[in-house]
């Protein structure tokens, strides 16, 4: 197959432009489908170009090994299609963590192959040494990929919440001297990497990888469920930098551009998530969240609250002029987004103005609630981000909170609180507040929520889907 390097570079450039357009499209729900289409087109162009490049640079390998390449593409594509078709909205965060782990592991495997047979990648002569610059790039790509893989595995377990293994539980796992151990391992890993860069010693490379895998576990286990959105975006960034590092080693323009896009966008998203939680990125990495106050949750049910039925809640909303709905992870678990859409449609038909308020860290990954509502075909013009909707809660007749906790907790206004300063949806300012939860259990932060005990708040206990369906029936 005749293919000049100029054409290869041009095709990779087109693929890169597609990836940039994909990120731009995914920045807003109304253009997200177009963004996905650009992303798929860019990846297809990159894969076809890479296969053609193999034929050009190594025709003897292409003749004997192309079956393995095409087989890998077929297996990976089939697996991805099946998982995407079967995944539930509540399981989307776990799928994202799984994908991150695979990217990290791929970076590790590529680095191992490049160190073992550098001539096959065009970075050294057969039997010769890898240039020092390439060794450094391989070292960086390998250790970032290893940390991404093992860290994503732990994140997957924490997000799933169904495994009994201690490290997979949502509560932070902390022990004495944890930070010092992490620091010692990080220094040892960098030392092994430096030794490999100087000598190309296989033992140093393997030891560096082993430490990186262990470090990935250790930096994620002390992070509690409240910080999972930040962890997901952080691991997304890591996976991109791992790919970019390997791209530099292999002099692959496509890997460099795609990895840099993912890495930088993930880093920016991590910053946005930390800002939304009033959290330091380094604090998220170095420790758990809410562990010191988790014991307080046990006293929540001893305080009196005002309770009501779905019919009572329906009556309040039916006689309101404005209702602001705050969806949370409890809504996702109950799969109540479709009944909620039907409830909102009935209210709108009766002349009630309905809006949805979305907190940046609601759910278990960035944008989780937006995806949930989009699946139920909620009109985009009814969905508002925190900064755009907070000023309207004071004029709202009813704030309906479904399965949200920490993101509406007024404790954030208390300087002594563990979440002091965290921007919240100011639902407590509404004239009437309806909160649906299964119980009075605290959220991921382990904090009691003062909103639940306000005189104007009515608690409606039960599964969100059943409760919302009963509300819809009562409105008629």
């Amino acid at each position: 197959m005749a293919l000049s390097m100029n054409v290869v570079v041009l095709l990779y450039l087109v693929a890169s432009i597609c990836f940039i357009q994909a990120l731009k499209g995914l920045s807003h729900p109304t253009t997200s489908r177009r963004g996905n289409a650009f992303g798929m087109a860019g990846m297809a162009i990159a894969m076809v170009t890479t296969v053609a490049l193999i034929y050009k640079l190594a025709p003897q390998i292409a003749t004997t090994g192309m079956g393995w390449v095409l087989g890998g593409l077929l297996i990976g594509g089939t697996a991805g299609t099946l998982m995407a078709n079967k995944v539930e909205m509540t399981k989307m965060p776990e799928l994202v963590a799984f994908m991150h782990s695979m990217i990290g592991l791929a970076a590790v495997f590529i680095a191992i192959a490049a160190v073992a047979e550098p001539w096959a990648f065009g970075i050294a002569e057969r039997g010769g040494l890898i240039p020092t610059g390439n060794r450094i790039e391989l070292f960086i790509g390998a250790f970032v990929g290893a940390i991404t893989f093992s860290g994503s595995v732990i994140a997957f377990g924490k997000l799933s919440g169904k495994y009994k293994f201690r490290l997979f539980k949502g509560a932070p796992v902390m022990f004495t001297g944890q930070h010092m151990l992490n620091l010692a391992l990080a220094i040892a890993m960098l030392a092994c990497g430096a030794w490999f860069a100087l000598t190309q010693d296989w033992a140093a490379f393997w030891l560096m990888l082993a430490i990186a895998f262990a470090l990935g576990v250790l930096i994620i286990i002390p992070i509690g469920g409240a910080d999972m959105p930040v962890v997901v975006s952080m691991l997304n960034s890591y996976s991109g930098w791992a790919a970019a590092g390997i791209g530099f080693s292999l002099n692959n323009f496509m890997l460099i551009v795609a990895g840099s896009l993912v890495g930088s966008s993930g880093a920016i998203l991590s910053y946005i998530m930390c800002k939304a939680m009033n959290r330091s990125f380094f604090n998220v990495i170095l420790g758990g969240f809410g562990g010191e106050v988790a014991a307080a949750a046990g006293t929540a049910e001893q305080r009196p609250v005002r309770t009501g039925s779905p019919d009572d809640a329906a009556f309040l909303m039916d006689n309101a002029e404005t209702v602001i709905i705050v969806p949370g992870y409890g809504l996702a678990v109950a799969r109540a987004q479709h009944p909620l859409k039907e409830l909102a449609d009935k209210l709108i038909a009766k002349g009630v103005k309905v809006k949805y308020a979305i907190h940046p860290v609601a759910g278990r990954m960035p944008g989780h609630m937006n995806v949930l509502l989009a699946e139920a075909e909620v009109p985009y013009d009814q969905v508002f981000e925190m900064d755009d909707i907070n000023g309207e809660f004071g004029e709202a007749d009813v704030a309906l909170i479904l399965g949200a906790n920490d993101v509406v907790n007024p404790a954030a206004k208390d300087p002594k609180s563990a979440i002091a300063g965290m921007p919240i949806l100011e639902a407590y300012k509404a004239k009437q507040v309806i909160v649906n939860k299964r119980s009075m259990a605290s959220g991921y932060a382990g904090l009691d929520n003062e909103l639940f005990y306000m005189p104007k708040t009515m608690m409606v206990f039960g599964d969100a889907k059943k409760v919302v369906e009963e509300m819809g029936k009562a409105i008629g």
Side-chain angles (χ1 to χ4, degrees), residues 459-470:
M459 303 296 298
V460 182
F461 295 109
D463 177 81
K465 185 175 183 180
K466 294 180 179 178
V467 168
V468 171
E469 287 176 344
E470 291 178 19

Side-chain angles (χ1 to χ4, degrees), residues 43-89:
M43 185 56 67
I45 293 171
M47 288 191 298
V48 171
T49 303
T50 300
V51 171
L53 187 59
I54 293 174
Y55 271 105
K56 175 179 176 58
L57 298 180
Q60 70 282 2
I61 296 177
T63 303
T64 58
M66 190 51 65
W68 292 102
V69 174
L70 296 178
L73 291 175
L74 180 61
I75 293 172
T78 302
T81 301
L82 292 175
M83 285 189 290
N85 284 331
K86 292 183 178 180
V87 68
E88 302 170 359
M89 281 298 107

Side-chain angles (χ1 to χ4, degrees), residues 202-336:
W202 263 109
F205 185 80
W206 287 117
L207 184 57
M208 176 273 295
L209 275 182
I211 295 173
F213 280 124
L215 198 56
V217 173
L218 290 172
I219 65 174
I220 300 299
I221 59 173
I223 302 176
D227 288 330
M228 272 300 114
V230 178
V231 173
V232 171
S233 59
M234 177 194 72
L235 291 171
N236 176 50
S237 179
Y238 284 3
S239 66
W241 295 128
I246 297 299
F248 278 108
S249 302
L250 306 182
N251 196 28
N252 187 299
F253 170 73
M254 190 68 262
L255 273 177
I256 295 172
V257 172
S260 298
L261 287 172
V262 173
S264 57
S265 61
I268 293 170
L269 185 57
S270 298
Y271 171 77
I272 294 173
M273 294 295 103
C274 286
K275 185 178 179 181
M277 300 167 68
N278 192 36
R279 301 277 281 145
S280 163
F281 180 76
F282 291 103
N283 286 342
V284 171
I285 300 303
L286 295 176
F289 181 63
E292 70 279 3
V293 295
T299 62
E301 295 189 13
Q302 299 177 8
R303 300 172 61 183
V305 296
R306 173 187 166 209
T307 61
S309 67
D311 287 352
D312 297 328
F315 177 79
L316 290 178
M317 290 186 289
D318 199 6
N319 289 277
E321 291 184 4
T322 304
V323 173
I324 299 180
I325 301 172
V326 180
Y329 186 65
L331 178 76
V333 172
R335 304 177 190 174

Side-chain angles (χ1 to χ4, degrees), residues 131-456:
T132 302
N134 290 102
R135 291 182 217 162
I136 295 174
E137 293 161 355
L138 286 168
F139 149 62
I140 294 174
F143 91 73
V144 174
I147 290 175
T148 302
F149 171 73
S150 55
S152 296
V153 170
I154 298 299
F156 173 86
K158 284 179 173 286
L159 288 167
S160 178
K162 64 180 181 180
Y163 299 103
K164 295 182 180 180
F165 186 45
R166 178 67 182 92
L167 299 184
F168 285 166
K169 292 186 177 180
V173 178
M174 307 183 75
F175 53 85
T176 304
Q178 190 170 23
H179 297 331
M180 292 305 298
L181 175 61
N182 289 349
L183 178 61
L185 287 175
I187 293 173
M189 180 188 69
L190 293 174
C192 289
W195 182 248
F196 167 75
L198 293 173
T199 66
Q200 198 172 319
D201 189 310
W202 263 109
F205 185 80
W206 287 117
L207 184 57
M208 176 273 295
L209 275 182
I211 295 173
F213 280 124
L215 198 56
V217 173
L218 290 172
I219 65 174
I220 300 299
I221 59 173
I223 302 176
D227 288 330
M228 272 300 114
V230 178
V231 173
V232 171
S233 59
M234 177 194 72
L235 291 171
N236 176 50
S237 179
Y238 284 3
S239 66
W241 295 128
I246 297 299
F248 278 108
S249 302
L250 306 182
N251 196 28
N252 187 299
F253 170 73
M254 190 68 262
L255 273 177
I256 295 172
V257 172
S260 298
L261 287 172
V262 173
S264 57
S265 61
I268 293 170
L269 185 57
S270 298
Y271 171 77
I272 294 173
M273 294 295 103
C274 286
K275 185 178 179 181
M277 300 167 68
N278 192 36
R279 301 277 281 145
S280 163
F281 180 76
F282 291 103
N283 286 342
V284 171
I285 300 303
L286 295 176
F289 181 63
E292 70 279 3
V293 295
T299 62
E301 295 189 13
Q302 299 177 8
R303 300 172 61 183
V305 296
R306 173 187 166 209
T307 61
S309 67
D311 287 352
D312 297 328
F315 177 79
L316 290 178
M317 290 186 289
D318 199 6
N319 289 277
E321 291 184 4
T322 304
V323 173
I324 299 180
I325 301 172
V326 180
Y329 186 65
L331 178 76
V333 172
R335 304 177 190 174
Q337 61 269 31
H338 294 286
L340 177 61
K341 169 66 163 49
E342 295 175 4
L343 170 65
D345 287 344
K346 289 182 178 180
L347 290 172
I348 292 172
K350 287 179 171 287
V352 180
K353 190 175 183 179
V354 176
K355 293 184 177 181
Y356 297 82
I358 306 296
H359 192 281
V361 297
R364 303 297 288 277
M365 71 174 185
H368 197 175
M369 293 302 103
N370 299 77
V371 174
L372 196 75
L373 296 180
E375 186 195 31
E377 298 183 353
V378 172
Y380 299 128
D381 58 2
Q382 295 177 12
V383 181
F384 296 85
E385 299 297 331
M386 177 179 62
D387 292 338
D388 298 324
I389 195 71
N390 262 349
E392 300 187 30
F393 276 109
E395 302 298 323
D397 296 302
V398 176
L400 174 61
I401 300 170
L402 299 167
N405 196 327
D406 298 325
V407 298
V408 294
N409 193 343
K413 305 295 182 180
D414 182 0
K416 298 180 180 179
S417 170
I419 59 172
M422 171 181 169
I424 61 168
L425 289 166
E426 298 175 347
Y428 66 91
K429 292 183 178 180
K431 297 172 185 176
Q432 294 288 331
V433 180
I434 302 169
V435 179
N436 166 241
K437 282 174 58 68
R438 290 179 180 271
S439 69
M440 290 295 292
S442 61
Y444 295 125
L447 290 173
D448 211 358
N449 194 331
E450 294 299 321
L451 175 65
F452 301 162
Y453 306 101
M454 289 183 174
K456 63 180 178 181

